[in-house]
Amino acid sequence: MSPPQSLGLDVEILRRLSSDRLVRVLEDAPGAKDLIIDGDLMKMLDRIAGATLLRSHGVDKMYRLERVPPPVQSSQRVYLVRPSLLQLKILADHVHSDHAAHPDLHVHVVVVPRLVSWVTGLLEEEGLYGALTLHEFCPDFIPLDDDLLSLEMTSFFRDAFLEGDFSGCVDVARAINTLQGLFGQIPYVLAHGRAAKAVVNTLDLLNNQNSPKKTSQMPEISHLFIFDRDADYVTPLLTQLTYEGALDDHFGINAGVVEFPGEVVGQDAPRKVPLNSKDTIYDNIRNKHFASVSSYLITKAKEVNAKKEQAQNMTASQMKDFVANELRTLQSCHATLALHLRACESITKSVKQDFETQLTTEHGLVTGASNAGQARKFLKNCLARMQPLTDNLRLFCLYSLTQDGLSPKDYKQLASQMLAAHGHKHLITLNNLRQLNLLCATESSASSTGVNRDSSGTNIQGRLAQVTSLLPKKGQGWRAAAKRLRLIPDPDKTIDLHNPSDPSYVFNGAYTPVMAKVVGEALSVRGAFTQTLLDSLKVLPGTTISRAAPPGSPVGPHVALVVMMGGVTYTEVAALRLLAVTSGTRIIVASTSTINGDQLVSGVVHK
Amino acid sequence: MSRAENEAYWGSTDTAPSALDNFFDEDCEVTWTGITAEFTRSPQSRHSKTTPDGNSSSTSSIVDNITVHSVSDWNYVEVKGGRSNTSSSSSQSVSGVGKVIGEKLDSWKPPSVSIKWNSSQGQGSGPCVQCAAKDTEIVQLKKRLENSYSRYNLTLPPDDTVNRILLGQPYSLESYRSLEDKLALLDTALGTMDGSAVMATILHLKKTVKKTIFITEMQARPQACNLFTNYLRKRHKYSEAIEFLGSLGKPEEAAILSYELALTGKTPEAKMKNMEKSLETHFAVPSVSFEAKMVKNHMKLLGRQLAIDEADSKDQTNPMLLKYPRAANVVDKSLLTTLFYCCMYHWEAGETHIGSPLALRKAHDLSDRELLWTALKGRARVNHWPLPSELDSWLGSKGLLGALGSLSSAFGSSGKILPKGIKATLPMEVVVHTLHSSRAPSNVLAVYIGLVDNLESRLKLAHNYKCHQAVIDVHVAQKDRSALEQYMKEIPSGSPEYLKAESALKMVKWKN
């Protein structure tokens, strides 16, 4: 399943760039220092630089940023923080409280990824501007794998789509700009959505600042796709069915590392295991449909055992050779196989008893094959049984999206049962989901006809209002969009889940992730994007920007960079990996972070 | 102008003129530092010597910042002076800054500046004694600078400033003083969508215009409103945010935010009080009538939870409380969790008791589905698995259609196929699973399995949960003697189920 690797373009270099930049920032505070790190940055820093590297640059103690300040032991302390107002307020409180006892303490603040206006504003208000030394540390994409890059900006989805703060787009643009600096200006660009537009705008601005010689470099990446998460909410809401997706849903994969509980690793304590293509067994199963993983693992395990048995009948010299060369690989193979088999077992055991009903409901809602009444009943039972909040919210949102919005009666009934099960404070959560258009209660027909009557004048404004009232309202056009983009495969066509050729295998052939569909269509045509494709994108929220290489200019090899603003699911990654194979393109997926349905929803849950 | 001349100028006054001094202080960062560089020109040490007390409170770090800022700005100003419209060189790379300064200092030509600012007062410098002429010119320029401090011709075009914010370069918004400029700036920032630039321009607008103008202009820019409201929220300036949303004409959002604020109360009592206030002031709008109802329910629930907790914490007689000590306080839990708690501890209580599950159901209009599920799970927690008949009599027959109807009739005719047309409210397969995982005894399981319509799935369930009784029931219902005899081999002989199967063999009319 692995995409063609023959094309150069080593993304590992990005890690070195980030780590060098981090070192430079640390050296800006020469000598011994204590480090206080925003919890949100821990995993990212871990992927860029280990503690040893930090220690070799004067870092003594490391603390997580919490309300209570750590003891002052060094004459310098360096705070590494996100530009979040809440965290910065804590930081400011630390500095105030430490100042009394330690007036000589020198405080550095490193804002990751950049010093935004409200950071300086807050520090100024706190009377700390000038008393602290401010730095920026702008990391590049972190390579989680050869074909998966992440900025680990886990709060981007909430910040941008809920709170209207698209400042993270600048950082994405910077990271893409680095890639363009390394691999040349990307000739074909297709961007859709608000955040995507902001990225392209900033990218243009940065391009103008680059030295002109870079633009003449032969491009090593031919296509750049940028999408917003809100172009496809259905994918993260559905239960993930690929092995990697299932691992993410059940154990949680953070920045490319999964923490298996003790029962899976066969020890008392949980163990962190990096998941990437360096592990060839994992590379073979990660994108497989969950149903075919264990049989594959068992076959492999039998092969390994057979080889070990062969060793029984070996001559002494053969044995010596075997021990020297093969035994170690066989043993590690064996360990990996056992690990994944236990992981499979653990997932199978922990899936809900009504897992099948859950899947049938989800897929029935998406394809429209089953009636909505059954789904509503299932949801009501889930609510009454107090199933986990995120599961219930996911199903509620999926129900609303696929019905193109709920009737006020339906909405009120389900919403009040949601609050009964999980607490009334989630009135705020529901409001957030409505802001995101993940939930939608259609206006009652009475009030909308009232509007029409008011505006039914002969004046142009009245007519305009009439026209706009006919247009699909926000969060209500999902079904039309799915039809237009042909996201739901023909039910008569059988989708092979075990040897897939169609990206919809990731959802049992019920649904194709938007990203995989659009990128697939775009790559199927050499050269500029077709008008048909651009027209079909109009059904998604936001506007499209498309660029093509001027005729005659070098286009370079077929390599595509697909950027998802607001988090990419492992399901989408799997679908794109399949696409890479079928289209003969190397596809590199980049995102603000990896995400699953629970993370997406819990990001906007009221705490 | 040579370096010596400049030194002579600064040397002639002990300190910089006070007006100029203030001028720098107000705006020590940005565009204007470019001008600072003109006058101070020579390195930092001179600056601090000549303007002694201006920045005395600040530490060295600020000075460092200023140095860097003035360098890059200075380049910028020069570009402007030369009327070059390409903004590409506006930011010099940081590397080689020192060299750049040196070159720029040497090649610095004030005339370019004087040309730019000469328009109003006319004549260029005459060919008199150079020194004196330059002195006069500087004084004039200085005055003009002060006068034109806010004038349009000195403000950078909005997109330049916005790009500077975006790229993390020093900037100043002080010079945008006309409303038109401020709005142009805000709209440019909104065009780039960069939160940092948008917030900076919003705060500048808010700081400098009166409220009504601010509101009117924000109203026309919903993206900015959203960002600003969330900014206030995160700064814990809730009341300001609520007021802002109110004046924007968004009572729904204001109401939700006031509820959010109410929840920040430290104690349940404070929360209730806050909610009451919020209901009065913000939830009166008809468009949030549903939400208002939910908030009222929340208050009602909290009140009940406090009463239950008060009663139970003193209660020494309730055997359930003694047998199963309370793991946690029920206050602030969800409605169904409260119901669960009540089912555990106050199952037998009459409707007048504060902790009675039935009273809770009445007060909060719970559906049968919610009630039955929670009762089943709550009772299982205290090792009690009520039979359908028990649930029936507990709930009373009135008002309970659907679930109860089916449950009671099913029990009444236990072991027989349910009459068609009556659908159980709860999916029996899931109920059986829940009961089984809460270790319900086999005879209870058998009764619930008996409620499944379809004999095939009933048999499957019975086998799955190894419920002998239920398997026997199915075979009896199917009149399948051979299957029953076959199955009896799996039951230990002499057990109650075995005996029952034996008696069934004698009683029933078999089809085979």
Side-chain angles (χ1 to χ4, degrees):
Chain A
M1 291 273 285
S2 58
Q5 295 289 326
S6 54
L7 307 156
L9 203 137
D10 178 16
V11 289
E12 271 301 304
I13 193 171
L14 295 171
R15 198 192 306 274
R16 266 219 1 250
L17 283 177
S18 291
S19 122
D20 288 353
R21 213 169 296 155
L22 179 64
V23 164
R24 240 174 287 143
V25 172
L26 288 176
E27 288 300 326
D28 276 347
K33 58 215 149 224
D34 286 345
L35 212 57
I36 299 163
I37 306 168
D38 189 335
D40 192 36
L41 289 170
M42 293 278 190
K43 294 210 170 66
M44 185 194 75
L45 286 178
D46 237 19
R47 301 301 169 269
I48 298 174
T52 349
L53 183 80
L54 298 185
R55 295 211 189 285
S56 69
H57 292 279
V59 175
D60 196 12
K61 295 237 163 26
M62 279 177 262
Y63 304 94
R64 181 190 281 269
L65 180 62
E66 271 153 7
R67 195 147 277 293
V68 185
V72 176
Q73 279 158 335
S74 172
S75 65
Q76 284 192 108
R77 75 176 22 174
V78 177
Y79 285 90
L80 273 165
V81 287
R82 286 274 182 209
S84 126
L85 286 163
L86 299 172
Q87 300 289 333
L88 279 157
K89 181 74 178 99
I90 297 179
L91 185 155
D93 292 346
H94 279 199
V95 177
H96 285 307
S97 73
D98 286 339
H99 185 71
H102 307 273
D104 296 331
L105 183 69
H106 194 161
V107 180
H108 297 264
V109 177
V110 182
V111 185
V112 187
R114 102 193 138 106
L115 258 173
V116 288
S117 59
W118 57 80
V119 172
T120 41
L122 178 81
L123 293 177
E124 202 176 330
E125 270 181 51
E126 292 279 337
L128 295 173
Y129 191 85
L132 311 172
T133 316
L134 297 176
H135 309 266
E136 281 183 352
F137 165 51
C138 181
D140 278 305
F141 280 122
I142 297 155
L144 302 182
D145 211 328
D146 294 335
D147 60 352
L148 183 58
L149 312 176
S150 163
L151 275 173
E152 288 306 306
M153 295 163 68
T154 43
S155 69
F156 181 86
F157 178 71
R158 187 194 169 103
D159 290 347
F161 296 103
L162 182 62
E163 299 184 349
D165 168 20
F166 286 86
S167 60
C169 294
V170 173
D171 313 306
V172 176
R174 281 188 187 180
I176 297 176
N177 192 47
T178 307
L179 284 175
Q180 296 205 108
L182 291 167
F183 306 120
Q185 180 88 19
I186 306 172
Y188 293 100
V189 179
L190 183 64
H192 188 96
R194 288 174 290 165
K197 187 178 163 217
V199 171
V200 174
N201 286 344
T202 314
L203 208 50
D204 288 345
L205 187 67
L206 293 168
N207 275 337
N208 286 338
Q209 310 228 316
N210 288 346
S211 56
K213 79 169 191 316
K214 269 179 191 157
T215 50
S216 63
Q217 186 183 338
M218 173 73 178
E220 287 178 70
I221 301 174
S222 55
H223 290 74
L224 170 63
F225 297 92
I226 312 178
F227 298 100
D228 283 14
R229 185 66 271 172
D230 64 4
D232 185 4
Y233 279 143
V234 167
T235 296
L237 293 177
L238 293 171
T239 301
Q240 304 201 69
L241 296 173
T242 62
Y243 181 58
E244 198 163 33
L247 286 182
D248 191 22
D249 272 355
H250 286 268
F251 306 109
I253 302 176
N254 285 306
V257 176
V258 71
E259 185 167 329
F260 282 129
E263 65 185 61
V264 173
V265 287
Q267 295 163 341
D268 291 338
R271 182 156 60 99
K272 288 182 177 161
V273 179
L275 298 173
N276 52 49
S277 56
K278 281 182 195 125
D279 176 347
T280 48
I281 291 173
Y282 181 66
D283 196 34
N284 277 318
I285 54 171
R286 66 198 311 188
N287 303 318
K288 278 191 189 298
H289 192 281
F290 190 77
S292 57
V293 171
S294 48
S295 60
Y296 176 87
L297 287 173
I298 290 168
T299 323
K300 276 279 160 194
K302 278 181 187 154
E303 282 173 27
V304 171
N305 280 341
K307 273 193 188 159
K308 278 193 178 167
E309 271 166 32
Q310 277 174 14
Q312 308 274 311
N313 311 323
M314 280 179 184
T315 61
S317 68
Q318 275 176 325
M319 186 60 121
K320 199 175 158 192
D321 196 46
F322 174 78
V323 171
N325 300 318
E326 261 186 281
L327 188 60
R328 186 183 292 267
T329 25
L330 277 185
Q331 270 169 344
S332 79
C333 255
H334 194 85
T336 318
L337 288 168
L339 178 73
H340 289 296
L341 271 171
R342 277 195 302 266
C344 279
E345 199 186 348
S346 167
I347 291 172
T348 320
K349 248 196 277 172
S350 74
V351 293
K352 279 184 264 166
Q353 185 264 341
D354 47 356
F355 182 66
E356 253 175 67
T357 327
Q358 170 93 27
L359 275 192
T360 322
T361 309
E362 287 180 6
H363 295 167
L365 279 173
V366 171
T367 56
S370 58
N371 79 44
Q374 278 173 332
R376 187 169 55 233
K377 202 162 137 194
F378 179 70
L379 174 57
K380 281 183 181 173
N381 272 312
C382 288
L383 290 169
R385 289 163 64 204
M386 287 195 271
Q387 293 287 300
L389 171 66
T390 48
D391 290 5
N392 284 342
L393 287 174
R394 275 168 74 171
L395 192 58
F396 191 16
C397 292
L398 186 70
Y399 178 59
S400 167
L401 270 174
T402 51
Q403 301 304 305
D404 286 350
L406 303 174
S407 71
K409 180 174 155 262
D410 240 10
Y411 174 76
K412 283 176 190 169
Q413 201 178 41
L414 290 168
S416 62
Q417 293 187 9
M418 182 71 76
L419 302 188
H422 299 289
H424 286 86
K425 65 174 183 180
H426 291 297
L427 191 57
I428 301 164
T429 306
L430 295 181
N431 188 60
N432 288 346
L433 292 169
R434 288 178 72 169
Q435 303 261 309
L436 288 165
N437 287 321
L438 271 165
L439 274 184
C440 182
T442 53
E443 272 153 43
S444 55
S445 54
S447 72
S448 66
T449 50
V451 170
N452 278 347
R453 207 175 301 130
D454 290 346
S455 60
S456 64
T458 44
N459 57 351
I460 292 174
Q461 269 191 328
R463 251 180 274 160
L464 261 178
Q466 273 180 325
V467 170
T468 45
S469 72
L470 293 175
L471 293 172
K473 291 193 186 66
K474 279 164 123 196
Q476 292 181 312
W478 180 82
R479 195 149 291 283
K483 202 175 164 197
R484 182 72 200 267
L485 290 167
R486 286 177 288 123
L487 300 178
I488 294 147
D490 182 358
D492 298 331
K493 201 173 117 191
T494 44
I495 302 286
D496 187 345
L497 302 180
H498 301 286
N499 298 298
S501 58
D502 187 290
S504 67
Y505 85 97
V506 296
F507 292 125
N508 286 359
Y511 179 74
T512 317
V514 173
M515 246 170 129
K517 191 78 191 178
V518 176
V519 173
E521 302 259 312
L523 291 178
S524 66
V525 185
R526 299 262 154 175
F529 306 112
T530 62
Q531 195 56 41
T532 331
L533 176 67
L534 298 181
D535 284 344
S536 66
L537 286 178
K538 284 183 187 147
V539 294
L540 301 174
T543 50
T544 312
I545 299 174
S546 86
R547 303 223 175 117
S553 62
V555 172
H558 231 39
V559 179
L561 176 66
V562 182
V563 182
M564 194 67 166
M565 305 296 296
V568 68
T569 63
Y570 279 103
T571 296
E572 285 161 317
V573 176
L576 288 168
R577 279 180 183 145
L578 175 65
L579 189 66
V581 175
T582 54
S583 70
T585 312
R586 177 163 179 200
I587 295 179
I588 299 169
V589 184
S591 183
T592 46
S593 69
T594 55
I595 203 168
N596 59 33
D598 286 349
Q599 288 164 342
L600 179 94
V601 168
S602 61
V604 295
V605 163
H606 178 69
K607 301 287 184 317
Chain B
M1 205 195 285
S2 75
R3 181 171 301 225
E5 279 161 1
N6 190 47
E7 276 175 15
Y9 171 76
W10 286 112
S12 68
T13 49
D14 288 338
T15 65
S18 61
L20 195 56
D21 208 356
N22 290 338
F23 183 83
F24 287 147
D25 275 348
E26 268 182 60
D27 192 18
C28 62
E29 261 195 19
V30 207
T31 340
W32 289 94
T33 49
I35 314 300
T36 319
E38 264 173 52
F39 289 102
T40 58
R41 191 131 61 85
S42 60
Q44 202 51 49
S45 55
R46 175 161 303 280
H47 185 270
S48 49
K49 214 188 288 170
T50 50
T51 56
D53 288 318
N55 305 341
S56 63
S57 61
S58 57
T59 66
S60 65
S61 62
I62 232 184
V63 178
D64 292 345
N65 281 340
I66 288 169
T67 324
V68 173
H69 289 180
S70 49
V71 167
S72 59
D73 276 339
W74 188 41
N75 293 338
Y76 192 82
V77 166
E78 205 218 22
V79 170
K80 294 299 291 176
R83 285 288 170 214
S84 153
N85 278 332
T86 57
S87 60
S88 60
S89 59
S90 65
S91 107
Q92 288 275 348
S93 66
V94 188
S95 64
V97 154
K99 197 179 156 204
V100 174
I101 298 174
E103 285 168 6
K104 297 292 172 186
L105 282 176
D106 288 339
S107 64
W108 176 248
K109 288 189 189 73
S112 69
V113 176
S114 74
I115 288 164
K116 189 180 171 191
W117 287 318
N118 247 352
S119 55
S120 61
Q121 291 206 8
Q123 62 255 39
S125 52
C128 6
V129 185
Q130 237 191 356
C131 212
K134 292 292 179 196
D135 274 359
T136 342
E137 195 188 330
I138 287 169
V139 172
Q140 282 175 352
L141 278 175
K142 187 184 75 201
K143 268 189 187 153
R144 231 163 288 157
L145 264 176
E146 283 170 48
N147 293 339
S148 58
Y149 178 56
S150 70
R151 298 299 299 271
Y152 185 78
N153 62 346
L154 275 182
T155 56
L156 292 176
D159 46 339
D160 281 359
T161 298
V162 168
N163 287 349
R164 297 180 70 78
I165 306 179
L166 210 96
L167 299 171
Q169 294 161 352
Y171 62 92
S172 164
L173 305 179
E174 301 292 331
S175 54
Y176 296 85
R177 298 193 76 165
S178 77
L179 182 61
E180 193 192 343
D181 285 359
K182 288 171 196 165
L183 295 178
L185 194 64
L186 177 57
D187 288 332
T188 316
L190 283 168
T192 65
M193 295 181 69
D194 174 40
S196 175
V198 177
M199 261 326 290
T201 50
I202 293 175
L203 291 178
H204 176 62
L205 182 69
K206 180 170 179 282
K207 206 165 56 185
T208 53
V209 300
K210 66 174 178 179
K211 209 166 168 183
T212 48
I213 299 181
F214 180 66
I215 298 291
T216 320
E217 296 305 338
M218 289 294 277
Q219 229 156 8
R221 295 164 178 84
Q223 276 292 331
C225 292
N226 186 17
L227 187 64
F228 183 61
T229 318
N230 280 303
Y231 169 80
L232 292 176
R233 240 186 81 238
K234 284 187 269 189
R235 296 294 309 272
H236 293 289
K237 294 178 181 172
Y238 278 99
S239 5
E240 197 182 335
I242 294 166
E243 197 200 321
F244 174 68
L245 286 171
S247 44
L248 284 179
K250 292 182 172 179
E252 297 86 2
E253 288 180 40
I256 295 286
L257 202 57
S258 80
Y259 173 61
E260 192 179 327
L261 171 64
L263 294 185
T264 57
K266 291 264 189 307
T267 62
E269 289 83 359
K271 281 185 197 174
M272 280 172 70
K273 222 172 129 190
N274 292 344
M275 274 192 255
E276 199 171 352
K277 221 166 80 189
S278 143
L279 270 175
E280 272 171 26
T281 42
H282 296 288
F283 279 93
V285 213
S287 54
V288 288
S289 57
F290 170 70
E291 283 76 10
K293 194 175 141 205
M294 292 298 116
V295 177
K296 271 183 211 139
N297 281 346
H298 192 180
M299 277 176 64
K300 204 159 69 177
L301 179 64
L302 257 182
R304 179 177 288 266
Q305 289 170 333
L306 286 171
I308 294 174
D309 190 54
E310 167 87 17
D312 285 358
S313 57
K314 290 180 191 148
D315 195 336
Q316 301 293 328
T317 56
N318 186 338
M320 297 312 277
L321 285 168
L322 300 176
K323 196 170 170 197
Y324 302 96
R326 301 188 305 159
N329 193 328
V330 74
V331 178
D332 248 356
K333 298 287 188 299
S334 78
L335 177 55
L336 291 193
T337 310
T338 312
L339 179 62
F340 184 95
Y341 174 97
C342 293
C343 287
M344 272 179 79
Y345 295 113
H346 302 289
W347 180 250
E348 315 273 347
E351 265 197 55
T352 47
H353 188 281
I354 185 73
S356 150
L358 294 174
L360 192 67
R361 158 188 155 209
K362 214 170 179 182
H364 284 276
D365 198 20
L366 287 161
S367 74
D368 296 345
R369 184 183 278 115
E370 291 169 306
L371 203 58
L372 287 168
W373 267 123
T374 315
L376 279 173
K377 293 198 307 185
R379 292 315 289 165
R381 185 65 173 278
V382 291
N383 297 316
H384 171 221
W385 295 271
L387 292 172
S389 64
E390 205 178 331
L391 283 172
D392 186 15
S393 63
W394 172 66
L395 285 164
S397 52
K398 53 179 171 178
L400 278 169
L401 308 164
L404 259 263
S406 73
L407 284 177
S408 58
S409 68
F411 186 71
S413 57
S414 170
K416 286 188 183 155
I417 303 169
L418 283 166
K420 275 179 188 171
I422 295 177
K423 280 274 168 193
T425 306
L426 307 190
M428 270 315 140
E429 283 89 350
V430 193
V431 171
V432 171
H433 174 77
T434 311
L435 288 169
H436 180 259
S437 49
S438 68
R439 294 186 304 278
S442 176
N443 60 333
V444 176
L445 271 190
V447 175
Y448 280 94
I449 291 175
L451 295 182
V452 175
D453 282 352
N454 184 307
L455 281 178
E456 292 301 314
S457 39
R458 209 198 286 183
L459 189 62
K460 217 172 119 192
L461 270 179
H463 277 296
N464 198 3
Y465 295 111
K466 297 193 175 54
C467 181
H468 303 317
Q469 176 68 58
V471 177
I472 296 164
D473 286 348
V474 173
H475 290 320
V476 170
Q478 286 174 327
K479 301 182 179 161
D480 188 344
R481 182 200 291 263
S482 58
L484 181 59
E485 282 171 342
Q486 184 70 24
Y487 189 74
M488 280 171 73
K489 290 173 192 158
E490 291 182 30
I491 313 173
S493 57
S495 67
E497 286 96 346
Y498 192 87
L499 296 177
K500 201 170 170 198
E502 265 187 335
S503 70
L505 278 179
K506 288 170 205 153
M507 304 283 292
V508 184
K509 279 187 181 173
W510 300 99
K511 69 176 180 191
N512 52 11

